[in-house]
Amino acid sequence: MTLNLRSTAALCAALTVCLLLAVPRNFPGLGADARFTLAVFVLATCAWMGTSIDDTYIALGAGLALTVTGVISSDTLFGTLGEATVWLLICAFVLAAAVSRTGLAGRAAVFLVSGARTVRQLVHLTTAALVVTAFAVPATSGRAALALPVFLALAKVLADRKRLVVMLALLFPTVILLSAVATLIGAGAHLITVSVLWEATGRHIGFTQWLLLGLPLAVASSHLSAELVLLTTTRRADRSGPVRITPEQIQQHSEQPVTGPWSQAEKRCALLMATVVLLWCSEPLHRVPPALVALIGAVIASSPALGTVRLKDALKTVPWSLLLFMAATMAMGVALTDSGAAKWLVSGLPTSQAPVVFLAVVIAVSTAAHLVLQSRSARSSVLVPLVVAASVGVGVNPVAAALASTAAAGFCHTLPASAKPVTLFAQIPGTPTYTPRDLLRLSAFLAPLTAALVLLFAVAVWPLLGVSVTR
């Protein structure tokens, strides 16, 4: 019933806007291409919000409509699939498949978690481990799938302390989602943001710059949220008891060895990943693009002699639907910018407001956007082109505004369906996990906390790292 009501409301809103745009007298100064682009944009957004149609199908339909009508060229539509950021994501998934095959994740979990002696130590060591996975596994859903066996092992060890198990079930997706901002490959939304900034302003954000700006925010937000999860989910008595987790207990729930001598495959994979990450981080020194580094790493990781996974098996793990979605929404962003639609949409905004107020509004809207648009990439596709256009008009640095919007959109914890990691950890047969009420209680505190933290970084930290608030 709720879905039908939502669908009807979205359809009515889309048709109303389209009818208004179809009347030439309405909205003087808006060209034909801009009118059609806005109509397609509104229809796609309402379809994402109010229907169960696949997000990628909607995005491809929108991109096709813009191409057939001549708003953008076919080269623009198909060229987005050849973007370096798309290749970076494909190769990153191949590397992640190689890591998963070797069992290095289990060894890393044992190294960190088995050292915990208190509940608080367990929470923050687990948080640190989850933040590190942002460098090895792209996309939050992939990291959640990788972390699930570790959580199940911890849940079995702590089976007699139900509140701690529920707390860990909430901790894993919370940290996975908030720590994604650490790297450029952390979420598809980041690649959309980079593409929109490049098309609209000519400003390029590389892997190293994103790491410099995003990693401190990821670490701060992850550990603060971990503390919040601990305090809102457990009682003092739950936190006071000792914790003892042994490697043998984790081994019972892992198919690969988590202790003992490393195999040759594990050594090769660890060395390869360390080299790839080091080359990504030192891009300003050697000038080799991150996508090319990732491609070299993927070829080695899947090679017959040195690799740990077959290429065809690794390619099966690549979310091709997500890549098509990204490509289509990138084309939509180009259409919004080139047609003048984005500029017209924000032309009525007051230009005298303080930059901090503008950023606060952007962050608030981006934080709440998950309530109507569940896809993180869709949120960035809708918001970032408008934020970039609006920031130019009010004198705010578009890079700061786009990054703030994308970082704030990482909060999507209110409902079990708000994000795939939240859904995954909410439905674990035979294991105690959180309820919608637990999510709402956490979100009531976490939403303002993460929004305030992003604003703090945008106005106080990022300017020290080369991204000023004003242009």
Side-chain angles (χ1 to χ4, degrees), residues 89 92-93 96 100 130-149 171-191 210 218 222 317 319 322 326 374-380 406-407 409-413 416-425 434:
L89 197 59
F93 271 100
S100 300
L130 291 172
V131 172
V132 172
T133 62
F135 294 90
V137 182
T140 53
S141 56
R143 293 168 62 203
L146 180 70
L148 184 60
L171 175 72
F172 271 71
T174 297
V175 174
I176 286 170
L177 289 168
L178 294 180
S179 63
V181 74
T183 71
L184 183 59
I185 62 172
H190 301 170
L191 306 181
W210 190 290
S222 296
T317 67
L322 171 63
M326 286 172 46
Q374 294 180 351
S375 167
R376 192 172 185 167
S377 297
R379 293 199 293 277
S380 289
T406 305
F411 172 82
C412 36
H413 303 65
S418 294
K420 290 178 182 177
V422 180
T423 304
L424 178 64
F425 280 86
Y434 47 84

Side-chain angles (χ1 to χ4, degrees), residues 249-272:
Q249 290 171 320
I250 296 179
Q251 179 65 77
Q252 294 175 6
H253 307 280
S254 175
E255 296 180 359
Q256 293 91 5
V258 297
T259 57
W262 285 36
S263 66
Q264 290 299 319
E266 288 175 319
K267 291 178 181 179
R268 291 197 305 270
C269 189
L271 179 60
L272 176 62

Side-chain angles (χ1 to χ4, degrees), residues 356-377:
V356 175
V357 174
F358 174 81
L359 287 174
V361 172
V362 167
I363 291 169
V365 171
S366 301
T367 301
H370 72 283
L371 296 174
V372 292
L373 280 173
Q374 294 180 351
S375 167
R376 192 172 185 167
S377 297

Side-chain angles (χ1 to χ4, degrees), residues 35 91 103 148 181 225-226 286 305 338 418:
R35 288 174 183 272
C91 297
L148 184 60
V181 74
S225 66
H286 53 69
D338 291 351
S418 294

Side-chain angles (χ1 to χ4, degrees), residues 120-178:
R120 184 164 271 108
Q121 284 182 355
L122 174 64
V123 166
H124 287 284
L125 286 173
T126 301
T127 298
L130 291 172
V131 172
V132 172
T133 62
F135 294 90
V137 182
T140 53
S141 56
R143 293 168 62 203
L146 180 70
L148 184 60
V150 177
F151 164 73
L152 291 175
L154 295 177
K156 294 294 184 183
V157 174
L158 301 170
D160 58 334
R161 303 170 73 175
K162 182 178 177 181
R163 286 186 182 274
L164 291 188
V165 176
V166 172
M167 179 272 296
L168 287 173
L170 196 52
L171 175 72
F172 271 71
T174 297
V175 174
I176 286 170
L177 289 168
L178 294 180

Side-chain angles (χ1 to χ4, degrees), residues 213-235:
L213 299 169
L215 182 58
L217 175 59
V219 171
S221 61
S222 296
H223 283 281
L224 285 174
S225 66
E227 194 66 26
L228 192 58
V229 169
L230 181 63
L231 295 176
T232 57
T233 313
T234 62
R235 299 169 181 169

